[in-house]
Amino acid sequence: MKNVIKYVISLTLAACLMWFVFKDINLSEMLTQFANANYWWIICSALMGLVAHIARAARWKLLMEPLGFKPSTFKTTLAVLMGYFANYIIPRMGEVTRCGTLQKTDDIPFEKSFGTVVTERIFDVVVLLLILVLNLALEFSKLKDFFLQQFSSKITLIIGLLVVVAIGGILGIYFFRKYQEQLAKHPILGKVISLINGLIDGVLSISKMQKPGLFIFYTLLIWVMYYFSAYVLFFAIPETSHLSMLAGLTVLTMGSFGMAAPTQGGIGPYHFLVGNALVLYGLEQHKGIILATFIHGSQMIALLFLGALSFVITLFLKPNQPKAIQ
């Protein structure tokens, strides 16, 4: 029931945002533009997106090596793609799905692989914040008013939530460390402690990684491909082909925040943020929303196809023991 309620709430939120975003859009005009788009740019975008997903899978593999596991990049790529597929069904389910997939194909303990995913997300948040700072530095005159208009009323709430989360996290770590041995003696709590320790091992795997330079390279490759996979789609529609590379940077920033929202695949928030941000670059609002829909829709179709294909391939893979690092 909890999962059903969560799904209904996220779906309702996405539907409400989509209605708000598209209530003034001429759908027939939008479909006409999509039909006349240059689909070679879509193929180019999909290939760049695939490179980003493979790089993410290879980076994830690096984090698991210090834990004594070495799954193939092919297996981790399948898991990553299935994770993206799951996010379009239930928000934030992708991380759980890809760790479960790798547990099935390589018998890697769920809690350890999930800990490495947490580490991945921490690094991605850091990179996104750096991209935001770069975006603000290069486009401050355009973005300051946009951020004030969209988020000024929520800044106090956001800061308050961050403070509460930070304090709660510190207190949680303190009490966990202090009472860990006593709690571990309880039959049920002992399993929870084991799970938490597995997560911690996964998170701390970054400190034992043997190829940090390669990890940084994969991280840069992921975000560069994210950028270009969206930017090249500007050229697919004649009305947006004049947009600059800085506009592409803004799309990457706003789109990343939109994808982080608790809706299926960022549906709704992505369109709202990217569509309105493109107004800053001279597009009419409805054209900005059309471009946002085109970018999000083409990437969603590619991920759904690749995710479904990965699921079918996984069904035919024979489970095998994880390859231990010698």
Side-chain angles (χ1 to χ4, degrees):
M1 182 59 67
K2 179 182 177 181
N3 288 334
V4 170
I5 292 173
K6 185 192 300 184
Y7 181 79
V8 170
I9 290 175
S10 62
L11 190 62
T12 302
L13 177 61
C16 290
L17 283 171
M18 289 294 283
W19 173 83
F20 179 77
V21 169
F22 286 96
K23 60 185 177 65
D24 298 320
I25 300 297
N26 186 326
L27 294 181
S28 61
E29 177 189 351
M30 182 174 70
L31 292 175
T32 299
Q33 287 191 336
F34 289 176
N36 296 329
N38 186 334
Y39 282 82
W40 285 110
W41 288 114
I42 298 177
I43 295 173
C44 182
S45 173
L47 291 175
M48 289 179 176
L50 181 59
V51 171
H53 306 323
I54 294 173
R56 179 174 292 280
R59 186 183 69 169
W60 187 26
K61 176 182 172 182
L62 288 178
L63 288 173
M64 282 183 278
E65 289 182 356
L67 302 177
F69 306 108
K70 194 174 182 181
S72 67
T73 303
F74 177 68
K75 297 279 188 66
T76 53
T77 299
L78 292 177
V80 166
L81 292 172
M82 286 181 63
Y84 284 124
F85 182 87
N87 274 336
Y88 285 105
I89 302 173
I90 301 176
R92 306 275 68 86
M93 195 65 184
E95 288 80 2
V96 175
T97 299
R98 63 163 158 154
C99 293
T101 301
L102 212 56
Q103 186 174 33
K104 174 184 179 297
T105 60
D106 286 81
D107 196 29
I108 296 176
F110 176 89
E111 64 274 10
K112 291 187 179 294
S113 62
F114 192 80
T116 60
V117 170
V118 173
T119 302
E120 263 203 308
R121 290 310 181 195
I122 292 172
F123 269 85
D124 285 336
V125 169
V126 171
V127 173
L128 178 56
L129 291 176
L130 291 175
I131 291 172
L132 174 60
V133 170
L134 176 64
N135 202 183
L136 287 172
L138 296 174
E139 295 284 72
F140 183 75
S141 60
K142 286 186 173 71
L143 294 178
K144 66 174 182 178
D145 294 332
F146 175 80
F147 276 104
L148 288 174
Q149 180 182 354
Q150 302 298 332
F151 302 110
S152 59
S153 62
K154 306 177 184 67
I155 289 177
T156 303
L157 176 61
I158 292 172
I159 294 175
L161 288 173
L162 290 175
V163 170
V164 169
V165 170
I167 293 174
I170 293 171
L171 290 175
I173 293 172
Y174 170 76
F175 286 111
F176 176 76
R177 294 292 188 185
K178 185 175 182 180
Y179 299 106
Q180 178 177 352
E181 292 184 6
Q182 295 93 315
L183 294 173
K185 296 176 182 178
H186 191 280
I188 297 178
L189 292 178
K191 294 181 179 180
V192 176
I193 296 296
S194 178
L195 174 63
I196 293 174
N197 283 327
L199 290 173
I200 293 173
D201 287 342
V203 171
L204 295 179
S205 65
I206 187 70
S207 64
K208 304 174 184 177
M209 192 168 50
Q210 297 177 350
K211 303 174 183 176
L214 191 57
F215 181 89
I216 294 172
F217 169 75
Y218 284 140
T219 300
L220 293 175
L221 181 60
I222 289 167
W223 285 92
V224 168
M225 288 297 101
Y226 280 169
Y227 169 79
F228 281 107
S229 65
Y231 174 69
V232 297
L233 289 176
F234 290 178
F235 303 105
I237 302 176
E239 290 81 358
T240 61
S241 59
H242 66 282
L243 291 174
S244 67
M245 295 187 75
L246 286 177
L249 182 62
T250 300
V251 167
L252 175 64
T253 305
M254 296 297 105
S256 297
F257 282 111
M259 294 297 287
T263 62
Q264 286 80 355
I267 296 173
Y270 182 98
H271 302 76
F272 176 78
L273 288 174
V274 173
N276 283 282
L278 286 170
V279 174
L280 303 173
Y281 295 90
L283 285 185
E284 298 176 19
Q285 186 182 45
H286 75 280
K287 289 186 178 180
I289 291 172
I290 287 174
L291 178 58
T293 305
F294 186 72
I295 295 172
H296 186 276
S298 60
Q299 293 177 345
M300 181 178 73
I301 291 171
L303 284 174
L304 288 174
F305 170 75
L306 291 172
L309 180 62
S310 298
F311 175 74
V312 173
I313 293 173
T314 302
L315 290 177
F316 292 95
L317 291 177
K318 292 182 179 181
N320 59 296
Q321 296 297 317
K323 297 178 182 178
I325 306 296
Q326 301 296 328

